Amino acid sequence: MKLNMDSRFDHQKREPEIYKAWEKSGFFNPDNLVKKGVVKKTAKKFSMVLPPPNVTGILHIGHAIVLTIEDIMVRFARMQGKKTLWLPGADHAAIATQSKVEKILYKEDGKSRHDLGRDKFLKRVEAFASESHRTITEQTKRMGASLDWSREAFTLDDERNLAVRTIFKKMYDDGLIVRGHRVVNWDPKGQTTISDDEVIYKEARAKLYTFRYAKDFPIAISTTRPETKLGDTAVAVNPKDARYAKYVGKTYKVKFVGEDLEIKIIADREVDSKFGTGALGVTPAHSTIDYEMSLRHGLPMKQVIDEYARMMVGPDGIKGEKTINARDKVVEWLKKEKLLTGEEDVEQNISTAERTGGIVEPLPKLQWFIDVEKPFKLPKSNIKGIKNGQTVTLKELMRMVFKNGQIKIIPKRFEKEYFRWIDNLRPWCISRQIWYGHQIPVWYPSTSSGQAPSTDAQNKPYVGVEAPKGAGWEQDPDTLDTWFSSALWTFSTLGWPFDYAQGKPKKGTDLEAYHPTDVLETAYEILFFWVARMVLMTTYALGEIPFHTVYLHGLVRDEQGRKISKSLGNGVDPLEMIDKYGADAVRMSLIIGAAPGSDSKTSENKIRGYRNFTTKVWNASRFVLMNYNDKLKTKPTYTAEDKRNLKKLAEVEAKVTKHIEEYKYHQAGELLYHFFWHEFADKIIEKSKDRLREESGADKAAVQEVLTTILRSSLKMLHPFMPYVTEEVWNKLPGNKKDDLLIVERW
RNA sequence: GGGUGAUUAGCUCAGUGGUAGAGCGCUGCCUUCACACGGCAGAGGUCAUAGGUUCGAUCCCUAUAUCACCCACCA
């Protein structure tokens, strides 16, 4: 057979061309698989959503591993003849995107978002987001990801916005979304609230001060934040603490740093009598724990720190100062008044905001929350153990689907973490004081326009899917936590709420055909942020699970095992690597050595190693094809060795299939690598050379058959891992037509 | 404070109840008509430590040490 093949696979030229050929075939879209007769109409489906990448920047190695693992899943399912849907999209990533654009705006124009105003600023963010989105889409294609682009969605487009408004209204009516004045995590840097999960604790050294509010105050307390003590309204001691029992219930008036304080002595079980003096100054407005304690004891709340982390009270030098400066001033005062009795270095965790790095300041604020413990009626339920119309809480739903095994997590150990998270779950604060995102679908009677709202709603907010009719209404300026809209992702992308009625999907819709999805594959970091929230929203909205299996992968770290970050500049740029070594090599390097749930490392060396494997696949194929004589009509006579080799192949096929079915992609990849290179190329091909030199005959026919059989099967098995080079070789195989595509070949 | 994971070749990591594997690196030979992004040969590991279960343990159990991560937030 004459061949027009160089000794290298030209990945730079061919990979984009092959991707175009796949797109042209339409096979990324399951409808076409049926239409073109590649899969049966009655075939099983396989559906999965791509974790939508943020529209904040370029594709990084974290995206690359997601795309690799998921594309392997998808290509495998498709080759098994399933109606396979892998649905792409992008995430508006509210805070992340807004703060990025604010930075650019400041750098380029020296302006803040307030200089532009809401509308102009949002236009600017949208321009940035759409540009960023275009880039990341192109980059996603370079990875070879076989996504159905015809179904692409965006967390902030019209369909998703309708889904968000619809579910907000529904939850509000069910009493699950409530507005309340509570102590929340305030990020002074980002000027917004954040959820408990967005708080990152960092270890830091701090000083623990022990002192009395005043000379005649009977109990000394300890704190690392003396400045907050201007907001104290109580001192708490343990009920069993005999030292302080006689003071409990009494109220003392003291003058503390020029402030009049009224301190009540209370007994609360949360207080550890062994810590410090065994007495705790209670600051209801500026500590979550203290806030909860104040609710138990009906204590008043006094806010002394504002949204800019500045003191709202105190004498000159304190009032208006940053908390950190005020702290020193308070300590000075304590020293001067001889009230300070102890000063000790301690290790302490400080709360920081995930996105901005700002130090979180607990503040009382009026915000929107999802109450996860409020009972409500679930009208329709496909959840095992929960009947139609049963009264449940969101927490119970979230727990149930894992407890009854309806959803499985791989690796299993993460189920424990999930349950622990649920146990600690408090109301989810969903309102954000930023502009980019889904604006909260709540309207209040207008205060500035001068027009009165309709009388029946005089004092009540209007909550609706659409804005209220008539003038005199103002929409809540806040937006929703970005995870609110991502939480709807498995069903908002499939046509909900349009294609859903009477508690079930309408016939013939995507929602009916593809929901629940089969697998949700993502990084373990996102388990609480996203996976748990999807379970919450889907079980609530549909009475259904969002997916059957959760597959979690680890972080990709640099060669030294460090987390990849921009500030370290240690990122391996997947695009540069694709350009240099090909997407197949990048994919193999990411999958091999990456066991489920455990972190892996990446390096250019490793990628280069798998590029060499790409070349090996290419050249071994070239050898087999060059030595194939399609005119040979002789019936092959297999030797014992031929039979052994074919048996070996069958064993590899069985093992690879088993590994993939068990989500052990790293093992399947390694086995294929080893078999192809060190069995097939090094041994089987080498030993075949003498036999191929024969002019003709049954033995030559046999060896040709063995080689092409193994090659054909290897290409199929390697295809999910290395789609490009395998596809390129495929249509050169004897018997294959020019436009035959490996992508839809049967496994 | 609670939990989880890791400890295997020089480096980075897979893996398995029964002669130890990959990538990169190293040594020697080979530019042989698929591939030097290659081939062949080789060096290098008491699979953290100590007990236990077993005919047999790197793998299972217990303890210890070190590291990493997650959660709680003792103020």
Side-chain angles (χ1 to χ4, degrees):
Chain A
M1 192 186 215
K2 283 250 163 134
L3 259 185
N4 213 0
M5 280 173 87
D6 293 333
S7 64
R8 299 269 188 280
F9 172 53
D10 186 354
H11 66 266
Q12 283 178 332
K13 178 168 175 284
R14 289 298 294 146
E15 287 184 353
E17 288 172 3
I18 292 169
Y19 195 89
K20 282 210 184 83
W22 287 329
E23 280 196 293
K24 208 179 144 203
S25 77
F27 290 143
F28 293 170
N29 180 339
D31 302 336
N32 291 331
L33 293 173
V34 176
K35 218 178 285 168
K36 298 195 178 178
V38 179
V39 309
K40 289 193 195 101
K41 207 172 177 177
T42 55
K44 271 180 80 174
K45 64 94 182 167
F46 177 88
S47 59
M48 177 165 67
V49 292
L50 173 74
N54 293 354
V55 288
T56 45
I58 57 159
L59 188 101
H60 57 64
I61 202 82
H63 299 120
I65 194 169
V66 166
L67 292 167
T68 301
I69 296 173
E70 295 184 14
D71 198 41
I72 291 171
M73 293 178 173
V74 164
R75 284 179 188 270
F76 178 70
R78 196 184 289 117
M79 290 175 84
Q80 281 185 315
K82 292 181 183 167
K83 265 185 272 182
T84 305
L85 170 64
W86 186 21
L87 198 148
D91 194 323
H92 68 286
I95 297 183
T97 310
Q98 168 157 332
S99 60
K100 184 139 195 173
V101 175
E102 281 185 286
K103 259 183 213 156
I104 295 170
L105 186 65
Y106 187 76
K107 209 173 158 193
E108 287 178 359
D109 303 354
K111 285 182 180 164
S112 81
R113 66 171 150 133
H114 299 283
D115 294 331
L116 264 74
R118 189 163 185 148
D119 288 349
K120 269 194 183 162
F121 178 74
L122 282 180
K123 285 226 166 70
R124 184 106 181 206
V125 179
E126 275 154 23
F128 172 85
S130 80
E131 177 59 34
S132 177
H133 173 233
R134 247 205 2 232
T135 311
I136 209 153
T137 302
E138 279 317 302
Q139 294 169 335
T140 299
K141 292 182 178 181
R142 291 293 316 268
M143 283 296 296
S146 54
L147 288 151
D148 181 4
W149 295 103
S150 71
R151 284 178 165 87
E152 195 187 359
F154 181 47
T155 54
L156 196 56
D157 60 19
D158 291 345
E159 288 91 337
R160 264 46 66 179
N161 183 246
L162 177 70
V164 163
R165 284 179 281 136
T166 305
I167 205 154
F168 188 100
K169 160 91 172 131
K170 187 172 154 62
M171 292 183 107
Y172 179 83
D173 290 344
D174 277 342
L176 299 174
I177 287 184
V178 292
R179 197 173 190 221
H181 197 76
R182 303 182 190 175
V183 171
V184 293
N185 307 304
W186 178 261
D187 171 13
K189 202 167 170 187
Q191 284 294 300
T192 180
T193 54
I194 56 174
S195 67
D196 293 342
D197 295 286
E198 288 163 293
V199 177
I200 308 288
Y201 293 101
K202 285 191 180 150
E203 257 193 22
R205 220 162 246 289
K207 274 207 170 19
L208 181 69
Y209 302 97
T210 302
F211 62 91
R212 284 166 204 266
Y213 297 104
K215 287 206 176 67
D216 52 354
F217 193 79
I219 304 172
I221 57 162
S222 300
T223 184
T224 51
R225 296 197 60 189
E227 78 281 9
T228 63
K229 300 289 106 183
L230 275 79
D232 281 12
T233 56
V235 163
V237 299
N238 191 284
K240 287 179 186 154
D241 198 327
R243 292 173 293 176
Y244 305 123
K246 60 184 167 192
Y247 304 116
V248 173
K250 290 187 178 159
T251 302
Y252 295 82
K253 285 189 180 168
V254 294
K255 195 115 179 150
F256 180 67
V257 203
E259 259 323 276
D260 289 314
L261 302 186
E262 233 182 78
I263 307 286
K264 188 178 179 187
I265 314 295
I266 59 166
D268 194 286
R269 58 191 142 73
E270 289 287 306
V271 180
D272 179 0
S273 48
K274 288 185 201 78
F275 186 88
T277 62
L280 160 70
V282 184
T283 322
H286 300 290
S287 152
T288 320
I289 303 287
D290 293 7
Y291 171 65
E292 279 164 10
M293 211 179 275
S294 76
L295 293 180
R296 281 198 291 272
H297 297 273
L299 299 173
M301 183 193 284
K302 185 182 170 198
Q303 183 175 353
V304 295
I305 298 167
D306 71 8
E307 292 167 6
Y308 299 94
R310 290 177 195 278
M311 298 302 293
M312 296 162 70
V313 297
D316 280 355
I318 290 184
K319 190 174 178 177
E321 283 296 315
K322 287 264 177 202
T323 51
I324 298 192
N325 302 334
R327 187 172 309 161
D328 297 337
K329 292 275 159 60
V330 172
V331 172
E332 265 173 42
W333 182 87
L334 286 169
K335 281 180 179 161
K336 203 181 78 199
E337 299 290 320
K338 299 201 165 51
L339 292 166
L340 191 69
T341 57
E343 201 172 328
E344 188 191 343
D345 283 318
V346 289
E347 283 294 327
Q348 195 202 23
N349 279 333
I350 55 166
S351 315
T352 62
E354 190 209 15
R355 288 292 172 189
T356 66
I359 294 174
V360 171
E361 193 66 63
L363 287 183
K365 299 218 55 131
L366 184 59
Q367 297 293 321
W368 289 96
F369 298 87
I370 291 185
D371 189 341
V372 288
E373 291 185 283
K374 164 139 192 185
F376 67 98
K377 233 183 208 182
L378 191 69
K380 287 263 182 180
S381 169
N382 283 333
I383 293 152
K384 281 186 202 160
I386 297 190
K387 297 188 201 90
N388 291 344
Q390 191 171 328
T391 299
V392 289
T393 66
L394 292 171
K395 249 194 194 186
E396 282 163 5
L397 284 176
M398 291 168 88
R399 207 179 272 121
M400 186 59 93
V401 290
F402 287 93
K403 220 170 126 189
N404 67 22
Q406 221 172 339
I407 306 180
K408 287 190 173 60
I409 305 187
I410 295 165
K412 203 173 163 47
R413 65 184 137 95
F414 285 98
E415 287 184 11
K416 248 189 188 169
E417 279 197 26
Y418 175 88
F419 285 124
R420 206 182 39 221
W421 181 81
I422 304 242
D423 290 340
N424 292 323
L425 189 61
R426 291 187 298 181
W428 172 18
C429 178
I430 50 170
S431 44
R432 298 288 179 274
Q433 290 64 53
I434 58 169
W435 291 343
Y436 187 54
H438 293 279
Q439 196 169 347
I440 292 180
V442 174
W443 288 260
Y444 308 102
S446 174
T447 48
S448 53
S449 68
Q451 291 197 308
S454 58
T455 48
D456 60 326
Q458 195 82 53
N459 296 309
K460 275 196 296 180
Y462 176 88
V463 178
V465 174
E466 303 298 337
K469 292 205 172 72
W473 292 96
E474 260 174 33
Q475 189 170 2
D476 194 313
D478 286 358
T479 51
L480 289 166
D481 183 359
T482 190
W483 296 105
F484 189 100
S485 53
S486 345
L488 318 180
W489 198 240
T490 59
F491 57 94
S492 70
T493 54
L494 290 174
W496 192 92
F498 299 105
D499 301 339
Y500 193 80
Q502 275 103 47
K504 59 180 183 200
K506 290 184 191 162
K507 284 247 178 293
T509 59
D510 274 359
L511 199 58
E512 186 202 40
Y514 298 110
H515 198 277
T517 61
D518 291 83
V519 181
L520 189 280
E521 195 285 333
T522 193
Y524 65 72
E525 288 184 299
I526 312 300
L527 180 60
F528 308 139
F529 281 121
W530 193 40
V531 179
R533 267 75 178 269
M534 281 197 281
V535 173
L536 183 157
M537 287 297 193
T538 314
T539 51
Y540 169 72
L542 309 184
E544 179 64 276
I545 53 171
F547 31 68
H548 297 285
T549 303
V550 176
Y551 177 99
L552 298 172
H553 65 260
L555 260 51
V556 184
R557 295 167 179 275
D558 76 352
E559 230 170 340
Q560 283 120 54
R562 295 176 304 180
K563 219 167 162 170
I564 294 195
S565 75
K566 254 180 221 148
S567 52
L568 279 172
N570 60 346
V572 174
D573 178 7
L575 294 150
E576 191 191 322
M577 293 297 113
I578 288 172
D579 200 46
K580 226 164 156 180
Y581 303 112
D584 289 336
V586 172
R587 292 166 64 117
M588 278 300 263
S589 79
L590 287 171
I591 206 71
I592 292 184
S598 51
D599 296 351
S600 58
K601 287 177 186 148
T602 182
S603 68
E604 184 163 349
N605 274 340
K606 192 172 174 186
I607 297 167
R608 191 188 303 120
Y610 290 104
R611 186 275 317 266
N612 295 352
F613 180 57
T614 312
T615 307
K616 179 55 85 172
V617 170
W618 180 254
N619 278 298
S621 304
R622 202 158 68 108
F623 175 85
V624 172
L625 293 172
M626 283 195 307
N627 286 285
Y628 188 83
N629 184 345
D630 42 9
K631 284 189 187 112
L632 210 61
K633 289 271 163 56
T634 324
K635 207 172 166 225
T637 314
Y638 293 111
T639 63
E641 201 180 343
D642 290 338
K643 285 174 188 160
R644 267 205 306 278
N645 288 337
L646 291 171
K647 201 180 154 207
K648 176 89 193 173
L649 174 69
E651 280 167 21
V652 171
E653 285 169 347
K655 269 191 190 165
V656 168
T657 306
K658 189 162 179 276
H659 283 323
I660 294 181
E661 282 171 347
E662 291 172 351
Y663 301 93
K664 293 175 182 167
Y665 305 103
H666 59 301
Q667 287 191 57
E670 199 166 325
L671 175 59
L672 281 168
Y673 174 93
H674 200 265
F675 172 73
F676 192 92
W677 196 323
H678 300 302
E679 281 286 326
F680 182 50
D682 287 353
K683 299 207 175 92
I684 299 172
I685 287 183
E686 284 308 316
K687 281 189 187 161
S688 75
K689 285 183 175 172
D690 287 337
R691 292 166 70 193
L692 285 168
R693 285 200 186 98
E694 296 171 38
E695 274 307 306
S696 62
D699 189 52
K700 183 173 180 178
V703 75
Q704 283 183 353
E705 280 308 310
V706 170
L707 292 184
T708 47
T709 302
I710 297 179
L711 178 62
R712 177 177 285 272
S713 176
S714 297
L715 290 173
K716 278 193 197 176
M717 288 192 285
L718 282 167
H719 182 256
F721 298 84
M722 315 176 75
Y724 287 118
V725 70
T726 50
E727 185 69 83
E728 177 76 346
V729 174
W730 185 253
N731 66 30
K732 297 180 167 64
L733 288 187
N736 287 354
K737 286 188 224 92
K738 221 179 126 196
D739 50 358
D740 278 350
L741 288 176
L742 179 52
I743 181 177
V744 287
E745 208 50 49
R746 200 48 64 88
W747 186 267

